[in-house]
Amino acid sequence: EPEVTQTPSHQVTQMGQEVILRCVPISNHLYFYWYRQILGQKVEFLVSFYNNEISEKSEIFDDQFSVERPDGSNFTLKIRSTKLEDSAMYFCASTSRFQGRREQYFGPGTRLTVT
Amino acid sequence: RKEVEQDPGPFNVPEGATVAFNCTYSNSASQSFFWYRQDCRKEPKLLMSVYSSGNEDGRFTAQLNRASQYISLLIRDSKLSDSATYLCVVNGAYSGAGSYQLTFGKGTKLSVIP
């Protein structure tokens, strides 16, 4: 069964450093998403991406964040200058255009720890 | 403003019990509804979509009441492997921008005890 994959599984970085989180969505999916989950809190939407551009973004997704689909398979989230409060699990998700109910499938996540 | 609200839990039930989760959502324009399960420190995994007429998948039954903006999940004959956090998830109205962002509840933790 096709799966969303994410790398790395755990990233430790110092405050102020740039990080890039990587995702490979399911191959025939066309809509891509990033969510985050701070420990003990609910999953929160960050950004959606379709047709090589951002479709929607939340208020969390400020100028420090960017997304890119550099090739036909990868989907990346970049945080330019990390803050302590960016520490969270970051989940990538994807969905197929042809699934009428738009079920989203999540990758295993990257645990980001900012020290 | 709580967009998706769930039972606070936790629920501790013996094996074989029936357990029900409830959820309310605030956005009346919401179009799609789901239950996901999340194991500790893992990703949310789709359990089932929730249809207007109600739907069943084995031991799991989901119901939707659009008028009351209420969603439920019933698990019959609980197994130890059902222990997880159950997330009520609502897909917002189509924005026209090609996006269906999901809004999650905080989840209800279920522990099935031998």
Side-chain angles (χ1 to χ4, degrees):
Chain A
E1 188 174 313
E3 291 180 335
V4 177
T5 60
Q6 289 186 243
T7 54
S9 57
H10 190 190
Q11 174 90 48
V12 181
T13 189
Q14 288 190 325
M15 198 166 53
Q17 296 296 304
E18 175 183 286
V19 294
I20 298 176
L21 311 183
R22 292 183 167 79
C23 167
V24 179
I26 294 171
S27 63
N28 64 344
H29 284 188
L30 298 176
Y31 296 86
F32 314 118
Y33 306 83
W34 284 101
Y35 294 83
R36 79 170 187 192
Q37 186 175 31
I38 295 169
L39 189 63
Q41 298 189 22
K42 65 180 180 179
V43 177
E44 299 174 289
F45 168 77
L46 291 178
V47 66
S48 60
F49 192 86
Y50 170 69
N51 200 27
N52 285 318
E53 60 183 24
I54 290 173
S55 303
E56 282 188 298
K57 57 185 181 180
S58 71
E59 59 272 14
I60 302 169
F61 193 89
D62 62 22
D63 292 344
Q64 292 301 311
F65 291 87
S66 62
V67 289
E68 195 177 33
R69 188 153 162 85
D71 53 44
S73 58
N74 289 285
F75 178 50
T76 62
L77 175 69
K78 183 194 288 187
I79 309 175
R80 265 180 269 279
S81 178
T82 50
K83 307 185 196 62
L84 293 176
E85 54 264 37
D86 293 328
S87 295
M89 279 290 282
Y90 287 82
F91 295 109
C92 174
S94 69
T95 191
S96 165
R97 180 178 184 177
F98 301 106
Q99 286 173 331
R101 300 197 66 79
R102 307 283 175 168
E103 287 91 350
Q104 293 183 19
Y105 296 91
F106 285 73
T110 293
R111 180 170 301 282
L112 177 65
T113 302
V114 182
T115 61
Chain B
R1 183 170 76 95
K2 292 185 179 179
E3 296 181 342
V4 178
E5 194 164 351
Q6 296 186 241
D7 288 345
F11 290 3
N12 300 313
V13 302
E15 267 185 294
T18 295
V19 60
F21 301 118
N22 303 311
C23 166
T24 56
Y25 61 94
S26 62
N27 184 356
S28 60
S30 299
Q31 295 185 334
S32 299
F33 311 90
F34 310 94
W35 285 100
Y36 281 73
R37 67 170 277 167
Q38 186 174 32
D39 294 289
C40 189
R41 300 193 171 220
K42 301 284 189 182
E43 76 272 26
K45 289 194 173 175
L46 180 66
L47 182 64
M48 58 196 300
S49 300
V50 186
Y51 303 117
S52 296
S53 54
N55 49 299
E56 188 174 305
D57 183 2
R59 298 181 293 109
F60 300 86
T61 301
Q63 298 279 350
L64 169 65
N65 184 322
R66 283 186 185 269
S68 304
Q69 296 179 206
Y70 170 89
I71 308 163
S72 66
L73 175 69
L74 188 76
I75 304 176
R76 290 181 300 278
D77 188 23
S78 301
K79 312 288 185 196
L80 295 176
S81 57
D82 293 333
S83 296
T85 296
Y86 288 82
L87 308 175
C88 179
V89 182
V90 174
N91 189 327
Y94 180 59
S95 68
S99 170
Y100 287 84
Q101 59 172 281
L102 296 179
T103 300
F104 285 76
K106 282 200 74 173
T108 304
K109 187 173 180 181
L110 172 67
S111 294
V112 181
I113 305 159

